[in-house]
Amino acid sequence: MAPFSPDRDDDGPVTDAPAYRIWPPVALGTPLLAGVLTTAVVGDPFTLGADGARVVGAVLVVVFVAWNGWTLAVMAANRTAVLPGGATRVVLDRGPFRLSRNPLYVGLVVLDVGLALLWPSGWALIGVPIGVALLSWGAIVPEERYLRAKFGTEYDDYRRRVRRWL
């Protein structure tokens, strides 16, 4: 494997960060917003029980807050970037990183479903897999390429031990 070769910004300086195609909150938020707007304009293709959907949605938002809070605390304790696109200092394999290579993204997907249910919007729920596909293509694949280039066999070993999602 070639040694770590960071990307260059348009202006020329070297960056130690993944070269995202799409920012993760945009990847998930765009189909969510499109679904909510479609529901508001034309209605849903199926009926969601509003009260039940909202209760489940609220629970999922709480799960998101707890899960992502835990993940961010682990990242901060290890002094690695907490925002997408920042430099990664170490391959984290503790806390939620023992369960998922992408715990923040797992949390964002949970939030996405929770918000769709809080509305409630069937179209937004239908948009969740589209958002996940955009997230995978636009953020996860470039991030994995960056981590493999930076950490080599250490990251490969981690990938063999821990699933991408859960």
Side-chain angles (χ1 to χ4, degrees):
M1 174 186 317
F4 175 61
S5 175
D7 295 324
R8 292 192 179 274
D9 286 339
D10 292 340
D11 297 336
V14 174
T15 60
D16 179 9
Y20 289 125
R21 295 178 184 121
I22 186 169
W23 198 48
V26 172
L28 288 166
T30 300
L32 175 73
L33 182 59
V36 166
L37 291 173
T38 302
T39 294
V41 173
V42 300
D44 278 326
F46 54 87
T47 304
L48 293 170
D51 292 341
R54 287 189 175 117
V55 169
V56 173
V59 168
L60 290 176
V61 170
V62 170
V63 168
F64 157 77
V65 169
W67 176 262
N68 277 38
W70 181 28
T71 303
L72 291 170
V74 169
M75 293 172 78
N78 288 279
R79 296 190 291 170
T80 194
V82 295
L83 292 177
T88 300
R89 295 172 37 95
V90 296
V91 175
L92 293 174
D93 61 356
R94 52 196 155 282
F97 292 93
R98 288 176 299 151
L99 306 171
S100 170
R101 294 195 313 259
N102 298 292
L104 287 176
Y105 300 152
V106 169
L108 283 175
V109 172
V110 169
L111 177 64
D112 207 39
V113 173
L115 293 175
L117 291 171
L118 279 172
W119 181 263
S121 170
W123 286 113
L125 283 175
I126 291 169
V128 170
I130 296 167
V132 170
L134 288 170
L135 178 67
S136 294
W137 169 80
I140 293 173
V141 170
E143 190 171 88
E144 288 177 345
R145 186 177 18 242
Y146 159 76
L147 292 170
R148 187 161 193 281
K150 183 167 183 173
F151 296 107
T153 57
E154 180 183 4
Y155 182 69
D156 289 338
D157 292 343
Y158 174 66
R159 281 182 54 177
R160 280 190 283 281
R161 288 190 319 271
V162 179
R163 294 168 57 125
R164 180 183 275 171
W165 295 102
L166 283 176

